[in-house]
């Protein structure tokens, strides 16, 4: 058991050490300061900006920035939609998928899910999308969606610190050319060397050793380059159906470490980017440590639960053994629990174990992570949510001590509180709990029903069934993308149509309403007069304030969702005792 | 006027970024893979003495008989099918998957009860990895303890010296990276290939 905790501790230490470097680099990039890759990238970006028509880098206000996010994301959907709908006619289809491999509702859901950086997958990659659809279609979404998140976070930080928001296309391009693409190139080669395939050839079919009359199909594909940006961009959409549990997507302990560090680095780093841009690294460290402490506590809870295993099964085995249902031997309980907590906390959504089979205590952690959305949160958006929580905490403490709430020398007023509470306290529960309640009122599917229609598609009985439904909408609303895969959300299940369509709505609202609110909030803040700091100002760069912010986050996050947590994972935990 | 300008930016920037990130980047990586790392890039395939592919070093195969070290339970039978009756098209694309059974699902307990009974009848002490099914359905490993527990059964079925059989386990053990990260696992396909290569007494 101790060895497991040591691996976890070293992994966490590693990314904590890397994140300030990362954050500092990102701050330099987005403040236009000189960086190492300038000689190569300045001319390249010059070409891209000219071709895109933004060479003169026109400044955008909150609404213009929001429109730019929407237009560019819609353009990506149209382009990738054309590829996915016509994949049978396009090249690089070595598995000979025909036009019925992906149904219209699956494609629609895939588009919305990938453009929102969610990558919730209601399909299995092997049998649904061609190589071309994956690398030339979904591959574009991988870059565009996370670069959009980073751009929004940077615009948000600029606004909070009293600067103009910038130009969306410049930020989008630079997030790709200076952060995502160079790291993917290096990381992809490392992934290749570590064992991942990267080929355009089709599956290899071999007779099995034990019984030569039975053959095995070894699915291949251009996996390595896909995998690195999947983690780095917190996309999480696997090339294969089982995602990072597939031996080709995650062959060993080294790739697993690299995947965990990649998925958390940018989100953790962005907190330091804020520190550098706001010229207040001390405050960034307090907020960083607050997130780190909650994150570690969550990892510990998940780890203990998986290590202790299922009591009823341990009786059969005659000893206490970890829960290895839906886990790979090479990861064991420790790396599976760490991956689970990190992927649901960062909104990556990749999975190296089957989340449907984890212990109720770990399921509790996964759901809680996606309710809060800030441990470390989605690429860019997580950091922005974190500061929206900080603004709410400023407001709450301001009320308690009777001072005018201020953040970075700017007054927090009605508009700020309305926008922050709208995006944190209202939109999230509304798009999770209401569709969840509607779905739960549908009947379960009988085994022999094949007609499409409104069924809930629950796979596991009892309290866990409620968790499956709530998890699916939470994952969609938080733009996480992991899922409890037993749920009948993939074609040709009779419940697939409902899940595809309802999740599309939740995904889009869960992404774009908060982005709009964040940009408007930042725009408003940037236009405020800065008030000088006096002895009466409530300081936000103290341990005390970080503690209060943690309290606000946990109470606000827990209270809204407490009933579903009690009826889902908590009740299930008592049922398996 | 403003709106056409804004939509123009969106279309043009999307197309430029598409060429860079979704065409140039993947194709360059395929090139690097095929030139610099051909073994890994093509799936770490294992070949026999005749040069025929017998499987992948990273992908498990189903083994259930007494003559071989058994692999873990798989929800997709390790992406295998009878080529003559492959109506589901498994061999066309390959597949992966897990059981998705929740810890509270009675079906999980029933399945494991049956596995435990089966293992005990074969004289194998059940370990967690031998009764719980894997996440990918393709897990190439079993734990060293699970391999040790099967030595007596395999040696007896093949009429081999248990010492010689046990010696193969260590040779086919994939260790933790740097001795730290991940868990050690015995590669079942490689172990069984080595077993077949042992001289018969």
């Amino acid at each position: 058991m101790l060895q497991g905790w040591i691996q976890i501790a070293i992994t966490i230490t590693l990314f904590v050490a890397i994140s300030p470097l990362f954050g500092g680099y990102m701050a330099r990039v987005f403040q236009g300061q000189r960086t190492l890759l300038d000689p190569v990238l300045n001319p390249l970006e010059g070409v891209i900006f000219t071709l895109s028509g933004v060479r003169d880098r026109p400044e955008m206000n909150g609404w213009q920035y929001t429109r730019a996010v929407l237009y560019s994301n819609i353009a990506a959907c149209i382009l990738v939609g054309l590829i996915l709908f016509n994949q049978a006619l396009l090249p690089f289809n070595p598995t000979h998928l025909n036009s019925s491999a992906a149904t219209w509702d699956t494609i629609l859901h895939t588009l919305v899910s990938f453009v929102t950086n969610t990558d919730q997958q209601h399909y299995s990659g092997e049998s649904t999308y061609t190589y071309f659809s994956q690398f030339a279609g979904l591959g574009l979404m991988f870059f565009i969606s996370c670069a959009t998140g980073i751009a929004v976070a940077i615009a948000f930080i600029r606004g909070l610190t009293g600067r103009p928001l910038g130009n969306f296309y410049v930020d989008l391009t630079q997030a790709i050319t200076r952060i995502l693409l160079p790291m993917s190139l290096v990381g992809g080669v490392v992934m290749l060397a570590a064992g991942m395939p990267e080929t355009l050839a089709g599956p290899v079919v071999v007779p099995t050793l034990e019984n030569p009359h039975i053959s095995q199909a070894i699915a291949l594909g251009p996996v390595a380059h896909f995998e690195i940006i999947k983690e780095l961009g917190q996309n999480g959409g696997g090339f294969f159906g089982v995602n990072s549990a597939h031996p080709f997507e995650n062959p060993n302990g080294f790739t697993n470490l690299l995947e965990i560090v990649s998925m958390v680095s940018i989100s953790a780093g962005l907190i330091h980017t804020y520190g550098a841009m706001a010229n207040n690294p001390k405050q960034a460290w307090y907020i960083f440590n607050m997130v780190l402490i909650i994150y570690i506590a969550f990892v510990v809870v998940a780890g203990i639960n998986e290590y202790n295993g299922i009591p009823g099964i341990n009786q059969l085995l005659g000893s206490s053994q970890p829960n290895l249902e839906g886990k790979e031997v090479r990861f064991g309980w420790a790396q599976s629990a760490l991956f689970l907590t990190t992927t649901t906390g960062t909104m990556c959504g990749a999975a190296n174990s089957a989340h449907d089979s984890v212990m109720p205590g770990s399921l509790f952690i996964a759901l809680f992570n996606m309710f809060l959305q800030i441990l470390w949160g989605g690429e860019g958006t997580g950091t922005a949510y974190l500061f929206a929580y900080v603004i709410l905490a400023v407001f709450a403490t301001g009320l308690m001590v009777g001072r005018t709430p201020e953040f970075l020398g700017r007054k927090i007023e009605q508009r700020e509180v309305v926008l922050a509470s709208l995006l944190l306290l209202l939109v999230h529960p509304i798009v999770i709990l209401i569709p969840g309640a509607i779905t739960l009122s549908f009947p379960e599917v009988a085994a022999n029903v094949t007609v499409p229609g409104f069924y809930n598609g629950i796979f596991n009985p009892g309290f866990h069934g409620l968790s499956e439904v709530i998890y699916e909408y939470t994952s969609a609303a938080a733009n996480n993308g992991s899922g409890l895969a037993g749920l009948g959300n993939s074609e040709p299940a009779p419940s697939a149509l409902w899940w595809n369509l309802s999740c599309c709505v939740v995904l889009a609202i869960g992404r774009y309403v908060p982005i709009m609110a964040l940009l408007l909030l930042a725009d408003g803040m940037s236009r405020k007069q800065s008030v000088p700091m006096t002895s009466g100002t409530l300081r936000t760069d103290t341990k005390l304030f970080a503690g209060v912010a943690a309290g606000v986050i946990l109470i606000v996050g827990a209270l809204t969702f407490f009933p579903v947590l009690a009826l889902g994972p908590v009740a299930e935990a008592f049922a398996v005792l | 006027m403003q709106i056409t300008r804004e939509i123009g930016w969106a279309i043009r920037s999307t197309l430029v970024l598409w060429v860079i990130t979704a065409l140039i980047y993947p194709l360059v990586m395929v090139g690097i893979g095929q030139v610099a790392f051909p073994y890994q890039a093509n799936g770490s395939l294992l070949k026999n003495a005749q040069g025929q592919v017998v499987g992948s070093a990273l992908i498990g195969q189903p083994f259930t008989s007494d003559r071989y070290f058994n692999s873990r339970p798989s929800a997709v039978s390790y992406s295998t099918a009878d080529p003559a009756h492959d109506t589901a098209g498994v061999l066309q694309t390959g597949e992966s998957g897990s059981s998705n059974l929740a810890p509270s699902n009675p079906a999980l307990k029933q399945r494991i009860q049956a596995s435990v009974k089966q293992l005990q009848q074969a004289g194998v002490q059940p370990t967690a990895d031998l009764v719980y099914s894997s996440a990918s359905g393709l897990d190439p490993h079993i734990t060293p303890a699970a391999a040790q527990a099967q030595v007596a059964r395999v040696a007896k079925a093949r009429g081999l010296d248990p010492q010689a059989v046990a010696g193969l386990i260590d040779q086919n053990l994939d260790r933790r990276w740097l001795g730290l990260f991940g868990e050690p696992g015995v590669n079942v396909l490689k172990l069984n290939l080595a077993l077949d290569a042992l001289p018969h007494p």
Side-chain angles (χ1 to χ4, degrees), chain A residues 289-328:
Chain A
N289 288 336
M290 172 194 85
V291 175
L292 181 65
I293 290 168
I294 305 176
Y295 166 77
I296 291 175
F298 280 16
V299 173
V300 169
V301 173
I304 290 175
N305 271 283
E306 296 308 316
Y307 179 79
N308 286 338
I310 308 169
I313 307 293
N314 287 341
Q315 273 173 9
L316 294 174
L317 292 169
S319 61
S320 176
Q321 304 222 15
N323 168 24
L324 291 187
E325 181 70 11
K327 290 192 183 53
E328 301 282 292

Side-chain angles (χ1 to χ4, degrees), chain B residues 17 20 31 60 69 93 100 130 141 148 150 158 164 171 187:
Chain B
L17 293 174
I20 295 172
F69 283 91
T93 60
N100 290 317
L130 285 181
H141 296 117
Q148 292 294 350
Q150 299 184 56
R158 292 188 171 238
Q171 291 167 24
N187 189 306

Side-chain angles (χ1 to χ4, degrees), chain A residues 95 126 136 325 327 460 572, chain B residues 18 60 72 92 96 99 104-105:
Chain A
T95 48
E126 294 95 321
E325 181 70 11
K327 290 192 183 53
N460 283 294
E572 192 192 359
Chain B
W18 179 62
R72 297 185 64 191
Q92 182 194 343
S96 57
S99 76
S104 58
N105 194 330

Side-chain angles (χ1 to χ4, degrees), chain A residues 224-523:
Chain A
H225 87 273
F226 200 78
E227 193 61 28
I228 183 70
I229 184 61
K230 173 187 117 183
E231 308 294 349
L232 207 53
Q234 287 179 11
N235 293 288
F239 194 90
F240 301 114
V242 293
N243 214 298
S244 283
H246 197 291
F248 281 156
E249 285 200 36
N250 198 353
N252 49 51
F254 167 70
T255 53
N256 195 62
L257 171 72
L258 191 61
E259 290 185 14
I260 291 177
V261 171
S262 323
M263 71 170 107
V264 70
S265 297
I266 291 181
S267 279
L270 275 168
I271 300 178
H272 295 297
T273 307
Y274 160 81
M277 289 175 73
N279 207 10
N280 196 348
K282 194 172 116 193
Q283 183 182 35
W285 270 114
Y286 279 132
I287 293 177
F288 184 94
N289 288 336
M290 172 194 85
V291 175
L292 181 65
I293 290 168
I294 305 176
Y295 166 77
I296 291 175
F298 280 16
V299 173
V300 169
V301 173
I304 290 175
N305 271 283
E306 296 308 316
Y307 179 79
N308 286 338
I310 308 169
I313 307 293
N314 287 341
Q315 273 173 9
L316 294 174
L317 292 169
S319 61
S320 176
Q321 304 222 15
N323 168 24
L324 291 187
E325 181 70 11
K327 290 192 183 53
E328 301 282 292
V329 165
R330 62 192 181 284
F331 307 133
W333 65 271
Q335 291 295 346
S336 300
L338 178 62
F339 204 108
L340 172 102
T341 313
T342 313
T343 198
T344 51
T346 59
M347 304 311 148
C348 178
N352 78 349
S353 64
H355 289 188
D356 222 348
S357 303
V358 300
M359 300 301 295
S362 312
L363 194 55
F364 180 93
I365 293 300
L367 281 167
F368 211 130
N369 264 331
M370 294 189 289
F371 292 150
L372 296 185
Q373 308 192 81
I374 48 112
L375 301 162
W376 305 84
E379 193 112 329
T381 50
T383 314
Y385 288 147
L386 188 58
F387 284 97
Y389 267 122
V390 168
I391 287 172
L392 283 184
V394 167
F395 178 67
T397 40
L399 286 183
M400 281 187 261
V401 298
R403 288 182 198 166
T404 317
E406 284 166 21
F407 186 61
L408 298 176
R410 286 176 187 79
K411 285 205 177 84
I412 308 285
E413 288 166 303
Q414 188 197 2
R415 180 182 142 97
E416 285 70 40
V417 174
V418 167
L419 286 171
S421 41
L422 172 79
L423 72 98
L424 288 171
L425 308 183
L426 284 176
V427 173
H428 203 48
I430 285 174
V431 293
I432 293 169
L433 298 176
I434 291 177
I438 295 171
T439 306
L440 285 167
S441 65
F442 293 161
E444 292 188 35
V445 193
N448 54 357
V449 174
T450 49
V451 278
F454 296 126
Y455 304 98
N456 60 31
I458 287 175
F459 174 67
N460 283 294
F463 303 116
H464 195 88
L466 172 76
S467 299
E468 284 184 355
V469 169
I470 295 300
Y471 194 111
E472 189 71 6
Y473 286 123
T474 309
S475 169
N479 299 134
N480 179 278
S482 65
L484 302 187
L487 190 68
N489 54 23
S490 308
E491 292 288 355
S495 44
L497 185 67
W498 165 253
W499 279 112
N500 279 334
L501 299 183
S502 64
C503 282
C504 277
V505 177
V506 175
L507 287 160
I509 296 177
R511 176 77 168 176
Y512 296 108
V513 171
I515 282 184
M516 188 182 73
L518 287 170
L519 290 169
L520 296 181
L521 181 67
D523 198 27

Side-chain angles (χ1 to χ4, degrees), chain A residues 117-302:
Chain A
N117 200 234
T118 313
D119 299 38
Q120 188 173 48
Q121 294 173 293
H122 289 174
Y123 66 87
S124 214
E126 294 95 321
S127 53
T128 310
Y129 291 120
T130 65
Y131 289 6
F132 190 74
S133 292
Q134 299 230 49
F135 76 75
L138 305 183
L140 173 70
M141 294 300 205
F142 273 6
F143 281 94
I144 292 269
S145 65
C146 61
T148 299
I150 295 175
V152 168
I154 295 299
F156 183 72
I157 294 173
R158 286 191 189 121
L160 280 193
T161 52
R163 278 171 265 196
L165 302 188
N167 180 294
F168 171 72
Y169 293 103
V170 172
D171 294 338
L172 179 82
T173 305
Q174 291 198 318
I176 291 176
T177 54
R178 290 178 185 253
I179 298 167
L180 300 170
L181 197 55
M183 289 172 61
S184 296
L185 279 167
V186 176
V189 173
V190 175
M191 292 289 201
L192 252 167
M196 287 183 201
E198 184 74 34
T199 174
L200 297 172
V204 174
V205 179
V206 294
T208 60
L209 184 64
E210 186 180 66
N211 180 358
H213 301 297
I214 298 290
S215 289
Q216 178 181 47
I218 301 169
L220 293 168
V223 179
H225 87 273
F226 200 78
E227 193 61 28
I228 183 70
I229 184 61
K230 173 187 117 183
E231 308 294 349
L232 207 53
Q234 287 179 11
N235 293 288
F239 194 90
F240 301 114
V242 293
N243 214 298
S244 283
H246 197 291
F248 281 156
E249 285 200 36
N250 198 353
N252 49 51
F254 167 70
T255 53
N256 195 62
L257 171 72
L258 191 61
E259 290 185 14
I260 291 177
V261 171
S262 323
M263 71 170 107
V264 70
S265 297
I266 291 181
S267 279
L270 275 168
I271 300 178
H272 295 297
T273 307
Y274 160 81
M277 289 175 73
N279 207 10
N280 196 348
K282 194 172 116 193
Q283 183 182 35
W285 270 114
Y286 279 132
I287 293 177
F288 184 94
N289 288 336
M290 172 194 85
V291 175
L292 181 65
I293 290 168
I294 305 176
Y295 166 77
I296 291 175
F298 280 16
V299 173
V300 169
V301 173

